[in-house]
Amino acid sequence: MCSPSATLTVWAGSWLAGAGAPDDVLEALHAWAPRHTIAAGDPHTGGRTDVPFSAHGETTGSGAMALLKLIREAMAPAGAQLRLVLPAPGDVRGLPVGTAFAADAVEAEEGLLIGLPGGEGTGLIPHWDDDETLQWTVYSVVLPPDPGPEMSLGEAEYTMREAVRDAADALASLHTTAVGDGDDDPREMVSDLLAAYSRHAYPDSIPLRAKRILDTADHVAAILTVAQHQPASSPTSASAADAHESLLRPLWSTLRGARLTAVNAAAQRR
């Protein structure tokens, strides 16, 4: 799983659909951090959600059960959705543009929107307080209308199969043109990253095609991450840096789109 927000989206979706228990969600979150806290991002949100707000940004107790209570209440209206967002600079798909949630989600590169599309809802963004604590900040937002899936699961699966090849070609190109000889074997680095991703399990209820997409996306992400850390990722000229970024940026965008399709499809109520 690529992020705490993706884990929460998939496991909370399974729980709310009756295919899992609250303890399953908590166990999945525990794989990211042993302690989770929750705080409102502003006084209005604190009053609306009954989540404590601290002007000093202090953490507020264990928070994990309060997080599940918040999600259940936000999902009460008929038609409410859990929706993962994975924004990046220049890629704000799915965000309520012009909001504090949107700005903070771009910085965090992840987040979760909960509620009825087009209505007032709730946003969640995690950030690390320390090595042991992941704090979830709660936002009040007007949710964007439901745009529908960016692509079908079939299209996302095909796109990820193609992306594995393209990412491997990019890594080979960057490794070949790197200045100097690195001691690290890129294949071993990719394997190490995949092992780290595999620590985060999926619920049994996830559609098999969505799981295949997410597993392949992790493979692509591992290759791209290694490519970014090859010696060529610190080139000696601005033109080389631009060429490097131009090679990887479209692959990261494709990867985010496939992950969003798979996670959000898995999270929708049946």
Side-chain angles (χ1 to χ4, degrees):
M1 197 70 74
C2 63
S3 67
S5 296
T7 290
L8 181 56
T9 304
V10 169
W11 281 94
S14 175
W15 161 55
L16 292 169
D23 284 348
D24 297 328
V25 187
L26 300 181
E27 183 178 350
L29 291 176
H30 187 80
W32 287 102
R35 183 168 183 258
H36 292 257
T37 61
I38 182 171
D42 58 78
H44 166 72
T45 299
R48 185 179 71 85
T49 61
D50 201 29
V51 172
F53 167 73
S54 171
H56 305 292
E58 298 169 353
T59 57
T60 54
S62 62
M65 288 304 298
L67 185 62
L68 298 191
K69 177 177 180 290
L70 176 78
I71 292 173
R72 181 183 284 281
E73 291 174 350
M75 286 291 289
Q81 297 180 1
L82 290 162
R83 195 186 308 174
L84 176 70
V85 292
L86 296 172
D91 181 359
V92 295
R93 62 186 126 178
L95 293 182
V97 178
T99 63
F101 173 86
D104 292 347
V106 169
E107 183 176 353
E109 298 187 346
E110 62 175 295
L112 172 60
L113 291 169
I114 315 164
L116 193 63
E120 185 176 20
T122 299
L124 289 169
I125 298 176
H127 72 269
W128 298 95
D129 265 5
D130 53 48
D131 291 341
E132 300 290 317
T133 305
L134 193 62
Q135 175 157 312
W136 296 83
T137 302
V138 187
Y139 301 76
S140 295
V141 293
V142 175
L143 302 181
D146 184 2
E150 182 173 301
M151 61 184 95
S152 69
L153 287 174
E155 291 169 329
E157 187 171 21
Y158 175 79
T159 297
M160 281 298 92
R161 286 200 300 265
E162 294 291 302
V164 170
R165 183 195 63 199
D166 294 343
D169 289 346
L171 176 58
S173 173
L174 293 170
H175 188 61
T176 300
T177 59
V179 178
D181 295 323
D183 294 330
D184 295 325
D185 183 342
R187 291 169 298 182
E188 292 182 2
M189 296 168 69
V190 169
S191 294
D192 289 344
L193 286 169
L194 285 173
Y197 291 141
S198 69
R199 291 177 51 245
H200 303 285
Y202 306 107
D204 292 339
S205 60
I206 189 172
L208 290 179
R209 175 167 272 178
K211 184 179 184 301
R212 288 198 302 267
I213 293 167
L214 293 171
D215 285 341
T216 308
D218 285 346
H219 193 183
V220 174
I223 296 172
L224 294 180
T225 300
V226 171
Q228 286 185 323
H229 290 85
Q230 287 297 292
S233 66
S234 300
T236 56
S237 71
S239 60
D242 289 343
H244 178 271
E245 179 66 15
S246 296
L247 185 63
L248 299 183
R249 188 188 305 113
L251 289 169
W252 280 116
S253 179
T254 298
L255 173 66
R256 288 192 297 274
R259 278 175 165 164
L260 289 171
T261 294
V263 168
N264 289 334
Q268 300 311 312
R269 287 179 172 179
R270 297 297 190 270

